[in-house]
């Protein structure tokens, strides 16, 4: 993961180490080794898949939130290099649901959203620090289509959540705990029939024209009608094993 913070510093995640910062990434000397500063998070790489930096976000106070697969959520003071770590706690209901963090987002209201593998979607108001999470509930349709969350996009009125089986459109009204959830690109029958291919959503991007691009095994175009809110989805000819990131250039 990478982040350009409000001070113009570039932050890079390194598996098994933590993050590196670069004060002046546009300088001609930017790539000199001496220009990089290491911020060690005391990670152990004993398990091959653990220690990946899957998300770096900056809050309104200039502090960093770092999602580390297999470890949890880190809160880093960029000036002192001190950090706090948030992990699941069976004794505390309002704690992180899972250590296997896949993605992070801090929205415009300073709420952090944490997507995990199997543990669903975590939400925390950064002023209150309590954590609430959404997961898969087989007893209702108003639930995440899958408990593994790979991608999060903030939109004007809702969140788009990409999971291992389907895209979720989540609208929060008066209560964060009672959202309205709609499913797209979701193969419901795959839960009972393993021969049906699931729609694994790895990335979501909204372009300058207000259209959406979804990364899965095929780059997919999506549009939402402003009046009717009808969602239209069309697959493109761009086919890859997985599409983890989509970006629009200048």
């Amino acid at each position: 993961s990478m982040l350009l913070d409000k001070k113009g510093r570039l932050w890079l995640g390194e598996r098994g180490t933590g993050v590196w910062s670069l004060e002046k990434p546009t300088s001609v000397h930017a790539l000199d080794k001496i220009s990089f500063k290491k911020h060690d998070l005391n990670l152990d790489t004993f398990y091959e898949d653990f220690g990946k930096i899957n998300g770096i976000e900056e809050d309104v106070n200039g502090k960093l939130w770092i999602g580390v697969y297999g470890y949890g959520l880190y809160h880093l003071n960029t000036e002192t290099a001190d950090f706090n770590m948030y992990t699941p706690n069976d004794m505390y209901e309002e704690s992180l649901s899972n250590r296997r963090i896949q993605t992070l987002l801090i929205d415009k209201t300073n709420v952090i959203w944490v997507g995990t593998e199997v543990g669903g979607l975590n939400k925390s108001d950064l002023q209150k620090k309590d954590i609430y999470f959404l997961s898969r509930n087989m007893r209702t349709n108003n639930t995440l289509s899958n408990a593994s969350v790979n991608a999060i996009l903030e939109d004007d009125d809702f969140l788009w959540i990409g999971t291992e089986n389907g895209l979720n459109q989540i609208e929060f009204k008066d209560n964060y705990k009672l959202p309205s959830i709609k499913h797209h690109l979701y193969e419901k029958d795959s839960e009972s029939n393993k021969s049906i291919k699931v729609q694994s959503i790895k990335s979501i991007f909204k372009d300058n024209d207000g259209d959406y691009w979804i990364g899965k095994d095929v780059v997919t175009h999506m549009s939402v009608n402003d009046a009717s809110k009808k969602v239209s989805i069309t697959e493109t000819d761009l086919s890859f094993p997985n599409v983890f990131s989509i970006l629009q250039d200048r």
Side-chain angles (χ1 to χ4, degrees):
S1 290
M2 296 187 294
L3 172 77
L4 190 66
D5 70 15
K6 298 181 181 73
K7 293 183 177 181
R9 293 174 297 190
L10 179 64
W11 294 85
L12 306 169
E14 181 184 31
R15 178 187 172 273
T17 299
V19 292
W20 294 79
S21 62
L22 183 60
E23 288 290 334
K24 298 178 181 179
T26 58
S27 167
V28 292
H29 303 294
L31 297 182
D32 292 346
K33 187 174 182 180
I34 195 172
S35 301
F36 286 88
K37 182 179 179 181
K38 180 181 177 182
H39 303 263
D40 201 325
L41 298 179
N42 298 331
L43 304 178
D44 185 355
T45 56
F46 180 76
Y47 296 102
E48 184 177 351
D49 292 336
F50 285 11
K52 292 184 292 185
I53 311 299
N54 282 343
I56 307 173
E57 290 283 318
E58 183 181 15
D59 63 25
V60 295
N61 298 314
K63 306 296 191 300
L64 294 189
W65 293 83
I66 304 166
V68 184
Y69 184 87
Y71 287 84
L73 183 63
Y74 288 75
H75 186 207
L76 176 67
N77 185 321
T78 59
E79 304 304 324
T80 66
D82 294 332
F83 63 85
N84 294 319
M85 182 180 178
Y86 295 85
T87 60
N89 185 343
D90 293 338
M91 302 297 293
Y92 182 48
E93 183 177 349
E94 294 181 334
S95 66
L96 196 66
S97 65
N98 193 287
R99 293 175 182 265
R100 300 186 180 194
I101 295 177
Q102 297 280 51
T103 185
L104 295 181
L105 170 75
I106 294 181
D107 68 19
K108 57 192 174 186
T109 65
N110 207 38
V111 166
I112 188 169
W113 301 89
V114 183
T116 70
E117 183 182 87
V118 182
L121 178 68
N122 294 251
K123 167 259 170 190
S124 178
D125 185 320
L126 294 181
Q127 303 303 318
K128 299 177 181 178
K129 296 294 192 300
D130 59 317
I131 296 176
Y132 164 72
F133 71 93
L134 295 169
S135 191
R136 174 75 174 138
N137 185 346
M138 299 289 288
R139 294 175 293 180
T140 176
N141 290 324
N142 194 45
T143 179
L144 290 182
S145 59
N146 188 273
S148 291
V149 174
N150 300 321
I152 308 170
L153 174 70
E154 181 183 18
D155 214 340
D156 296 332
D157 301 315
F158 34 73
L159 291 179
W160 294 99
I161 307 297
T163 75
E164 275 299 296
N165 186 9
L167 178 67
N168 296 249
Q169 181 182 2
I170 304 182
E171 183 178 9
F172 296 92
K173 296 182 179 178
D174 299 328
N175 191 334
Y176 274 114
K177 295 187 178 182
L178 295 173
S180 173
I181 304 177
K182 296 180 180 178
H183 301 152
H184 308 280
L185 296 170
Y186 169 49
E187 299 293 346
K188 184 176 181 179
D189 292 338
S190 66
E191 295 175 2
S192 56
N193 187 348
K194 301 302 180 183
S195 66
I196 297 177
K197 183 181 179 181
V198 298
Q199 300 278 351
S200 177
I201 311 299
K202 302 298 186 183
S203 56
I204 317 163
F205 178 77
K206 186 176 183 180
D207 67 22
N208 294 337
D209 296 322
D211 286 358
Y212 304 84
W213 300 90
I214 300 164
K216 51 190 191 79
D217 56 346
V218 176
V219 176
T220 301
H221 173 257
M222 181 176 74
S223 61
V224 180
N225 185 284
D226 291 336
S228 67
K229 303 300 181 184
K230 181 181 178 180
V231 174
S232 300
I233 297 174
T234 307
E235 289 188 347
T236 71
D237 294 329
L238 297 174
S239 179
F240 305 96
N242 286 296
V243 180
F244 291 103
S245 182
I246 302 173
L247 178 68
Q248 182 174 14
D249 64 19
R250 295 180 181 176

